[in-house]
Every structure is written in structure tokens, then in C-alpha cells.
Amino acid sequence: MYELDCSGIIPGCARVIRADSESEVFRRAVIQAERMGYNRVPTTMLDRFRHEMIDVDSEATKLAG
């Protein structure tokens, strides 16, 4: 499972997006940005979506090991 915390990326957003794939989290993040008033999502914001998305399962494995 993948996760993206939108706070700090999309101004005014407090949503945490979760999905089974990176592409689905990314798609939902773009939709959220559009709902928050972005007609065109800036490239810098798209880059932050990619950079700050985490693989929750991988993080749990790191913590357990």
C-alpha cells in the first residue's frame, strides 16, 4: 500500500491519500489538487507527490528489521 500526506504539498489540504499502487495515489492527488482549485497542477507539486509518496509496507518492514 502507498500513502501520500497532502498537508504541506497542497495548500489547505489535510488529506492522507492511500491506495494499492503508486499510480492510483498519484491520480487521486492530482484530483485532490484540482478540487482545491488548481486548474493546472504545477510541475513542482507533481514532483513533490512523487518524492513524498511512501510505500507503507516497505516502511513497516524497515521498522521491524
Side-chain angles (χ1 to χ4, degrees), residues 2 20 24 29 38 42 45 48 50 52 55-56 65:
Y2 294 88
D20 290 328
E24 182 62 17
Y38 286 88
M45 187 179 288
R48 288 196 61 201
R50 288 184 192 97
E52 297 195 25
D55 180 344
V56 178

Side-chain angles (χ1 to χ4, degrees), residues 21-46:
S21 69
E22 290 178 282
S23 60
E24 182 62 17
V25 170
F26 192 83
R27 185 185 75 78
R28 292 178 187 183
V30 169
I31 290 169
Q32 183 65 24
E34 290 170 347
R35 287 181 179 159
M36 299 292 292
Y38 286 88
N39 294 325
R40 293 187 67 204
V41 182
T43 304
T44 54
M45 187 179 288
L46 297 173

Side-chain angles (χ1 to χ4, degrees), residues 9-21:
I9 301 174
I10 304 171
C13 185
R15 183 172 178 208
V16 176
I17 299 170
R18 294 181 184 91
D20 290 328
S21 69

